[in-house]
Amino acid sequence: MKALVKREAKEGLWLEDVPQPEVGPNDVLIKVKRTAICGTDLHIYNWDKWAQKTIKTPMVIGHEFVGEIVSVGTNVVDFEAGQIVSGEGHVVCGHCRNCMAGRRHLCNDTSGIGVNRPGAFAEYVALPAANVWEHRPGIDLDVAALFDPFGNAVHTALQWPLLGEDVLITGAGPIGAMAAAVCRHAGARHIVITDLNEKRLALAAELGATRTVNVTQEKLEDVVAQLGMSEGFDVGLEMSGSPAAFNSMLDNMAHGGKISMLGIPGEDTAIDWNKVIFNMLTIKGIYGREMYETWYKMSVMVETGLDITPVITHRLHYTEFQQGFDAMKSGEAAKVILSWE
Ligand code: NAD
Ligand code: ZN
């Protein structure tokens, strides 16, 4: 089968013929229909420090996908050929304390699809049945291919009650923009989103942000005053990984404000802890998606009219992957869909 492989320990990806994955007794085999390119894939493409220490070459990469089940292992009774599914990209151990308690998103021994084990940028991918999510009938396949990053947005946003609340999102990348859509759907009042990139801010506005702030031109403090929010934001979603953005969030939270942090800051990020303590802020780190509550919420939000399609800026065939990665690299793309049909 064709697959996008990290063949060599240097920049790039290679479209190659590789053997079809083997299907263990607990696995399902999926014929991939659409995939989406994630920031993680770009790290692997670029062969940055993180990729060098994480990826063992050769590796079929990719974890954002939708496909159709073509066969199931002998132990699998919950799935059958023909179902339209995506995969939870974190394969959990199943027997640590958290897994045993049903808190699989907190497993301390996860393995990543397309990172630690063969991924979905391929004609076929094999996954444990426990990692498979069946989509509602009639779902748009491009939207279905985004359930992994959409899930990051949903998991981060739905940590706190949103109805009537004022929300600050720092970072209008694809995940920040989708989070704006989720906050709107969930009934937040002001949904203010910051970025340095006008194109990304415009996209976030299209998806549901009520006010965009280009931090190179405007001060968040001034926007808070303009909107008449005397006490600051009730909820903060950090989705940039930028220390400057996180610090400006801390400066503009209401007392008792709740922050969920998805963005991954550098090791030496410093904050003013007094703001956390004296303003009694709650800060919660967010990793991945909750299995499978986040997936349930995504399916139901899509069913009830949440539209994330504006986040898709490019639709290409897998043979045009280079164009897709170039668009991601230039910052011109939000989500790039590759078709494998
Ligand atoms: P992205 O890099 O496309 O988006 C980040 C955005 O932040 C960019 O548009 C950038 O211009 C903006 N930004 C940079 N500095 C800023 C500043 N000072 N103020 C405001 N905005 C600023 O990333 P993404 O794919 O949307 O993902 C968002 C973040 O979440 C990334 O940091 C990513 O690494 C992280 N992530 C974490 C998890 C997890 O499980 N914790 C999963 C996926 C992604
Ligand atoms: Zn576990």
Side-chain angles (χ1 to χ4, degrees):
M1 65 170 187
K2 296 286 183 209
L4 284 178
V5 183
K6 189 72 194 182
R7 165 66 52 195
E8 292 173 43
K10 63 178 194 193
E11 185 182 323
L13 277 177
W14 291 262
L15 181 59
E16 298 191 335
D17 285 302
V18 300
Q20 203 170 300
E22 279 171 30
V23 187
N26 299 313
D27 294 345
V28 303
L29 183 66
I30 300 163
K31 170 91 182 72
V32 176
K33 286 177 172 288
R34 311 272 166 88
T35 59
I37 303 176
C38 172
T40 302
D41 303 318
L42 197 58
H43 288 295
I44 300 172
Y45 180 97
N46 290 336
W47 204 237
D48 65 10
K49 266 197 190 142
W50 170 84
Q52 289 173 30
K53 69 169 197 272
T54 313
I55 307 291
K56 289 199 179 75
T57 58
M59 178 66 72
V60 175
I61 75 156
H63 56 276
E64 301 180 358
F65 77 96
V66 62
E68 180 177 341
I69 296 181
V70 288
S71 67
V72 303
T74 47
N75 290 344
V76 176
V77 290
D78 297 335
F79 292 100
E80 60 190 24
Q83 289 175 313
I84 299 296
V85 298
S86 288
E88 163 55 53
H90 293 169
V91 177
V92 302
C93 78
H95 46 74
C96 70
R97 177 180 175 181
N98 279 317
C99 279
M100 291 301 282
R103 298 182 294 260
R104 289 184 282 177
H105 60 295
L106 298 178
C107 173
N108 73 1
D109 188 16
T110 57
S111 155
I113 294 169
V115 175
N116 314 109
R117 50 179 286 148
F121 288 173
E123 289 181 285
Y124 294 90
V125 62
L127 283 186
N131 278 67
V132 176
W133 177 260
E134 187 191 1
H135 288 290
R136 302 286 199 273
I139 188 153
D140 178 314
L141 289 180
D142 292 343
V143 169
L146 295 180
F147 263 44
D148 176 295
F150 178 30
N152 295 136
V154 168
H155 191 197
T156 311
L158 297 189
Q159 288 299 321
W160 323 106
L162 292 172
L163 180 63
E165 302 292 14
D166 294 333
V167 182
L168 171 64
I169 304 171
T170 45
I175 300 182
M178 286 190 279
V182 172
C183 292
R184 190 70 171 266
H185 197 75
R189 181 174 64 166
H190 296 302
I191 304 159
V192 177
I193 191 161
T194 65
D195 206 293
L196 321 161
N197 176 327
E198 280 298 335
K199 249 187 166 170
R200 294 198 144 189
L201 288 168
L203 192 66
E206 197 180 333
L207 277 150
T210 57
R211 177 70 156 84
T212 59
V213 182
N214 184 330
V215 292
T216 65
Q217 289 162 20
E218 267 190 301
K219 275 210 167 103
L220 201 46
E221 286 76 0
D222 298 340
V223 174
V224 169
Q226 265 175 30
L227 294 175
M229 295 164 34
S230 53
E231 294 173 22
F233 293 96
D234 307 301
V235 171
L237 311 178
E238 206 310 288
M239 301 190 148
S240 72
S242 155
F246 184 38
N247 276 296
S248 76
M249 178 177 277
L250 293 175
D251 287 340
N252 287 286
M253 295 301 293
H255 289 197
K258 318 277 192 217
I259 294 175
S260 33
M261 276 187 89
L262 183 85
I264 302 162
E267 278 167 24
D268 48 2
T269 298
I271 63 166
D272 180 354
W273 287 100
N274 286 337
K275 286 180 189 141
V276 178
I277 294 158
F278 291 110
N279 300 347
M280 287 191 68
L281 302 180
T282 303
I283 303 176
K284 184 169 182 181
I286 304 295
Y287 182 53
R289 297 143 299 277
E290 193 171 330
M291 288 162 244
Y292 277 88
E293 183 63 8
T294 307
W295 294 78
Y296 178 85
K297 295 274 194 193
M298 284 190 276
S299 291
V300 169
M301 284 192 286
V302 168
E303 240 175 17
T304 53
L306 176 64
D307 182 16
I308 55 164
T309 50
V311 81
I312 302 167
T313 52
H314 295 67
R315 290 178 173 85
L316 301 166
H317 191 250
Y318 74 88
T319 50
E320 302 169 303
F321 74 93
Q322 190 59 55
Q323 205 180 316
F325 276 86
D326 289 345
M328 288 289 288
K329 268 182 111 164
S330 71
E332 149 209 349
K335 289 313 289 189
V336 175
I337 301 282
L338 300 178
S339 169
W340 289 79
E341 295 183 289

